[in-house]
Amino acid sequence: MENFSMFNADDLERYMHVYAIPWAINIAMAIVIYVVGRLIVGLLLSIFRRLMARSKYDEMLINFLESIISAILMLFVIVASLDQLGVDTTSLVAIVGAAGLAIGLSLQDSLKNFAAGVMLLVFKPFKAGNYVDVAGTSGIVQKIGIFTSTLTSLDNKEIIIPNGKIYNDNITNYSAKETRRCDMMFGIGYDDDLLKAKRVLQELVDSEERILKEPACLIGVAELGDNSVNFTVRPWVKAADNLAVRLAFTEAVKLRFDEEGISIPYPQMDVHFFKEADNTKQEENKQLAG
């Protein structure tokens, strides 16, 4: 019994020194690495958020990038903790890398849209509320998401466009500038008084309060068309007033031209019949028939 007790005590002591104490130390160190790592990650994310906030980036982009950075940093913390426990992390990293590659290949289009969304949020070629023409579609921007952007058409249709199509195509932002030039064309008949028509157009420009005085409006004969003498009128207006001024000015021109007796011709064709030539043709046909 005494020898058996001594054997158990020695075995227990060896077990404690060889296994229990080292394992306890490793577990404690792994916990310390994890806790300290989380604190460092939290500190780095806090610094990142403050820097991004100063740059006035979109809140959605900040939150998304923060979550990605947090996941990557926490992955390093977990791998370091497992390595402290003696776990072979090489195979774990290989599995995670292979899984990431497989997911990336299966989501190529989504990743393209994501990358394009990040670029749109960073460089901001347009923002919510702008009237734009993107990917062959026009509308008012409602939201710029990570994968898609939402527009509302002028007739109140919701249009959702993948960001990849937007970023890979031309982007026309009609709201980017405070002012815009409103290009209009008006035709008068060849028999109408050209100088009178030009004077009327100038008076209408001067009477429209929404047309800016500077830069000055250009009024001139643009071309001598098939059916009309065409005037170009190019006033500058505030971007928000562009459509309203165009509609109101066009109506005002029609009403004023009617009052002044200035015609607005429509496409037409004059057909002339010559009786003498027609009789000659009939005689030739009779001779050929005879």
Side-chain angles (χ1 to χ4, degrees):
M1 290 294 295
E2 184 177 352
N3 290 336
F4 183 74
S5 299
M6 289 294 295
F7 175 79
N8 284 341
D10 292 340
D11 188 55
L12 180 60
E13 184 178 357
R14 184 176 62 83
Y15 177 81
M16 290 293 293
H17 284 286
V18 175
Y19 297 103
I21 294 176
W23 264 102
I25 294 174
N26 287 338
I27 292 173
M29 289 298 297
I31 294 174
V32 170
I33 291 173
Y34 181 78
V35 172
V36 173
R38 287 202 60 175
L39 293 174
I40 294 174
V41 169
L43 178 61
L44 293 176
L45 291 177
S46 178
I47 295 173
F48 169 79
R49 174 167 282 278
R50 285 200 297 270
L51 292 175
M52 294 292 285
R54 291 176 183 174
S55 302
K56 298 181 180 180
Y57 286 111
D58 189 89
E59 186 69 20
M60 181 183 295
L61 175 63
I62 294 175
N63 292 336
F64 191 81
L65 292 178
E66 184 180 4
S67 64
I68 292 178
I69 295 173
S70 176
I72 294 174
L73 293 177
M74 285 306 301
L75 179 62
F76 281 111
V77 172
I78 292 172
V79 169
S81 300
L82 293 176
D83 186 66
Q84 180 63 37
L85 292 175
V87 177
D88 185 8
T89 56
T90 304
S91 58
L92 178 62
V93 172
I95 292 173
V96 172
L101 179 61
I103 294 173
L105 291 175
S106 62
L107 298 175
Q108 289 185 50
D109 292 337
S110 296
L111 292 176
K112 289 179 182 178
N113 291 328
F114 161 72
V118 171
M119 300 296 283
L120 291 175
L121 291 170
V122 170
F123 293 106
K124 297 181 179 180
F126 53 81
K127 59 183 179 180
N130 288 164
Y131 181 69
V132 299
D133 187 346
V134 294
T137 303
S138 299
I140 300 172
V141 180
Q142 298 298 322
K143 183 178 66 174
I144 305 172
I146 295 298
F147 295 99
T148 61
S149 294
T150 303
L151 276 63
T152 300
S153 64
L154 294 179
D155 55 352
N156 206 32
K157 295 177 183 175
E158 184 177 79
I159 306 170
I160 300 175
I161 308 175
N163 288 331
K165 287 188 175 181
I166 295 176
Y167 202 75
N168 290 328
D169 205 344
N170 294 334
I171 299 174
T172 304
N173 188 345
Y174 296 101
S175 303
K177 304 294 183 180
E178 292 185 0
T179 60
R180 283 181 58 192
R181 195 180 71 187
C182 183
D183 293 351
M184 295 176 283
M185 185 83 73
F186 301 99
I188 66 171
Y190 274 93
D191 295 331
D192 291 309
D193 189 333
L194 185 145
L195 295 179
K196 179 181 179 180
K198 185 175 182 179
R199 184 178 69 253
V200 169
L201 290 172
Q202 185 64 60
E203 290 175 358
L204 291 173
V205 168
D206 294 338
S207 63
E208 174 56 66
E209 296 180 353
R210 290 169 293 186
I211 291 178
L212 303 176
K213 303 304 179 183
E214 292 293 336
C217 174
L218 172 66
I219 302 176
V221 177
E223 62 181 3
L224 301 176
D226 294 335
N227 304 290
S228 62
V229 178
N230 296 323
F231 279 92
T232 183
V233 181
R234 298 179 176 180
W236 286 84
V237 298
K238 292 183 178 179
D241 295 335
N242 184 275
L243 180 60
V245 170
R246 183 186 298 273
L247 297 176
F249 193 84
T250 302
E251 180 180 344
V253 168
K254 177 63 170 70
L255 295 174
R256 184 67 184 277
F257 275 12
D258 290 345
E259 291 177 4
E260 300 289 342
I262 301 172
S263 65
I264 301 178
Y266 46 85
Q268 56 185 333
M269 180 182 294
D270 292 335
V271 181
H272 302 275
F273 293 94
F274 298 96
K275 187 175 181 181
E276 182 180 352
D278 188 53
N279 291 336
T280 303
K281 188 66 175 179
Q282 290 180 3
E283 291 178 1
E284 291 178 353
N285 290 337
K286 287 181 181 179
Q287 292 177 1
L288 291 174

